[in-house]
Amino acid sequence: MSVKNHNFRFNLDRAEDRKAWETLHSERVKQDFKSQNRFVIRAVNDYYERYLRECDDPFLSTREKEDSFVEGIISAVYERLFDNLPELIGRYLLSQGGTAIRYGESQAGNKNHISVSDSRSDISERRSDYGSEDHGFDDDEPEENELLDFGLFD
């Protein structure tokens, strides 16, 4: 077995050296790596591989930043879409001939029963059956959402 040894000096008066020393002796390094030696070997190899990739491709870091930015936008769009998905589906169903989805209890007594109706008059009859109580049948427009355009369903 061939073992090589190399010593490093850390000048704790320099911020960069002090940060490296503190990282090397941190609890996280002790938990995540078998030894400080394994940590240093991995750090040197990872750093040098990245250095070589950047030498071969000078726009690597720019592309990585752009990719990260695009991923953030996509995540935000998906999040807003799924937040508004029930309302979007409801509007679509209503635009397709007045189909309505009602929640309640079925004739068999099953709670949270979902029923579908194809009659707009049935919805207005159900509204009058409830009286003046608010049961979610607001005629108000939905909350403004710049990521979704409900104009497709008008």
Side-chain angles (χ1 to χ4, degrees), residues 134-146:
D134 181 23
H135 293 283
F137 291 116
D138 292 335
D139 290 330
D140 296 337
E141 285 295 316
E143 182 179 320
E144 183 66 29
N145 184 338
E146 67 277 1

Side-chain angles (χ1 to χ4, degrees), residues 3-47:
V3 176
K4 303 284 184 182
N5 188 13
H6 188 90
N7 292 327
F8 292 96
R9 290 185 314 238
F10 296 89
N11 183 349
L12 299 182
D13 292 335
R14 294 181 180 163
E16 189 176 54
D17 289 17
R18 185 175 43 257
K19 182 179 177 185
W21 176 264
E22 290 169 357
T23 300
L24 185 60
H25 293 87
S26 70
E27 286 298 317
R28 184 70 189 254
V29 169
K30 290 176 187 175
Q31 292 172 357
D32 293 347
F33 296 90
K34 289 174 104 176
S35 67
Q36 289 176 339
N37 192 54
R38 290 284 104 201
F39 172 75
V40 170
I41 289 169
R42 185 169 178 187
V44 168
N45 288 335
D46 287 348
Y47 180 84

Side-chain angles (χ1 to χ4, degrees), residues 100-115:
I101 299 176
R102 291 189 299 254
Y103 300 93
E105 191 170 326
S106 70
Q107 293 175 350
N110 296 335
K111 298 229 184 253
N112 299 326
H113 175 76
I114 299 173
S115 62

Side-chain angles (χ1 to χ4, degrees), residues 109-148:
N110 296 335
K111 298 229 184 253
N112 299 326
H113 175 76
I114 299 173
S115 62
V116 179
S117 170
D118 286 332
S119 168
R120 288 184 188 266
S121 62
D122 188 40
I123 293 172
S124 60
E125 289 171 16
R126 298 280 292 188
R127 284 183 184 171
S128 63
D129 289 345
Y130 285 118
S132 63
E133 295 179 37
D134 181 23
H135 293 283
F137 291 116
D138 292 335
D139 290 330
D140 296 337
E141 285 295 316
E143 182 179 320
E144 183 66 29
N145 184 338
E146 67 277 1
L147 299 176
L148 294 177

